[in-house]
């Protein structure tokens, strides 16, 4: 067999070979427990969205970069998660919206949540941040009991120097920044993502939110 023919056949064989597991979107979540709340760190939002779409899970994204207070945080989550109109704008109501009404509205495939740039300032201090994350931890536990995956990834908003957008997008601080009088924050990869550029991977607001209303 001529060498050119062999190379051609080899390339055809490569094209026919299925992607390795490490190349699939689901591989992004390899090693991540099905029900967990953790720092986003090295994960990319787009990769998480692709993984949710591939798995058929609901993808919920909220960019909280403009929030300053608890009310701001709740307002932005309500807008970007497309919560029902009767949402009570408090942490208990947030938990209620993400748990029992959804369970009663029908089987759920799973959830992948991203909370980016949770504020870290005097109006939304460490206690407030822990209360917010506890809501998602409790939600993860709720769905774990029902054998439904619920993964939540988060990052904190930290002070940035005056840099161009491209520099900020690629910046990954070497050390955990200190805010709130010396509190050490997790070292998250900082990525500017417009909420308008991200969409649910399934018709999240069309079905069971209406059923839950």
């Amino acid at each position: 067999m001529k060498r050119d023919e062999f190379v051609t056949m080899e390339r055809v064989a490569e094209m026919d070979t299925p992607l390795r597991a490490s190349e699939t979107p689901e591989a992004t979540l390899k090693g991540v427990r099905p029900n967990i709340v953790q720092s986003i760190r090295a994960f990319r939002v787009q990769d998480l969205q692709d993984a949710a779409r591939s798995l058929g899970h609901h993808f919920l994204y909220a960019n909280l970069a403009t929030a300053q207070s608890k009310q701001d945080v709740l307002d932005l989550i309500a807008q970007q998660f497309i919560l029902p109109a009767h949402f009570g704008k408090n942490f208990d109501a947030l938990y209620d919206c993400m748990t029992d009404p959804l369970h009663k509205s029908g089987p759920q495939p799973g959830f992948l949540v991203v909370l980016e740039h949770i504020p870290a300032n005097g109006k939304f201090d460490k206690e407030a941040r822990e209360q917010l994350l506890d809501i998602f931890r409790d939600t993860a536990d709720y769905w774990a009991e029902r054998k439904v995956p619920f993964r939540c990834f988060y990052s904190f908003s930290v002070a940035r120097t005056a840099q161009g957008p491209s520099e900020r997008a690629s910046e990954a601080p070497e050390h955990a920044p200190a805010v709130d009088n010396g509190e050490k924050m997790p070292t998250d990869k900082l990525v500017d993502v417009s909420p308008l550029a991200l969409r649910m991977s399934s018709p999240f607001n069309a079905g069971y939110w209406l059923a839950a209303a």
Side-chain angles (χ1 to χ4, degrees):
M1 180 184 297
K2 294 182 180 179
R3 182 179 181 280
D4 290 345
E5 293 177 351
F6 176 78
V7 171
T8 300
M9 293 179 64
E10 190 175 51
R11 287 176 178 171
V12 170
E14 288 177 353
M15 294 175 63
D16 290 339
T17 302
L19 291 174
R20 296 189 299 273
S22 60
E23 296 173 335
T24 64
E26 300 96 314
T28 301
L29 301 176
K30 183 178 180 180
V32 179
R33 298 203 311 269
N35 296 80
I36 192 173
V37 176
Q38 70 172 59
S39 170
I40 196 168
R41 295 189 183 277
F43 291 97
R44 294 176 60 250
V45 175
Q46 188 61 61
D47 291 340
L48 293 172
Q49 185 185 33
D50 291 343
R53 182 182 295 111
S54 181
L55 291 168
H57 291 182
H58 300 298
F59 180 75
L60 305 180
Y61 175 82
N63 188 322
L64 308 176
T66 61
Q68 293 294 318
S69 64
K70 175 180 176 180
Q71 193 59 53
D72 292 341
V73 168
L74 290 169
D75 286 344
L76 286 171
I77 288 177
Q79 293 168 17
Q80 296 178 63
F81 280 15
I82 318 179
L83 298 183
H86 65 262
F87 173 52
K89 300 294 178 67
N90 58 64
F91 287 152
D92 289 340
L94 178 60
Y95 172 81
D96 290 341
C97 280
M98 295 190 296
T99 54
D100 201 46
L102 304 188
H103 177 61
K104 291 179 178 177
S105 69
Q108 303 305 326
F111 304 84
L112 199 156
V113 180
V114 175
L115 301 172
E116 276 212 301
H117 306 308
I118 297 173
N121 56 48
K123 292 183 178 180
F124 202 75
D125 57 15
K126 181 179 180 180
E127 181 179 357
R129 291 192 295 275
E130 279 303 306
Q131 288 176 349
L132 174 66
L133 293 177
D134 279 345
I135 292 301
F136 286 89
R137 293 180 185 116
D138 291 344
T139 302
D141 290 342
Y142 174 95
W143 289 110
E145 293 175 359
R146 291 154 181 80
K147 309 300 182 185
V148 175
F150 184 98
R151 297 178 176 92
C152 176
F153 299 86
Y154 67 87
S155 68
F156 292 115
S157 179
V158 298
R160 298 175 179 178
T161 57
Q163 298 175 330
S166 60
E167 292 175 293
R168 291 199 303 269
S170 61
E171 178 185 342
E174 296 180 359
H175 304 287
V179 297
D180 287 352
N181 298 321
E183 177 196 348
K184 291 293 183 178
M185 308 298 291
T187 303
D188 296 314
K189 184 176 182 181
L190 303 180
V191 181
D192 291 320
V193 181
S194 168
L196 297 178
L198 292 159
R199 290 292 181 269
M200 306 301 177
S201 61
S202 57
F204 186 78
N205 61 318
Y208 53 78
W209 278 138
L210 295 178

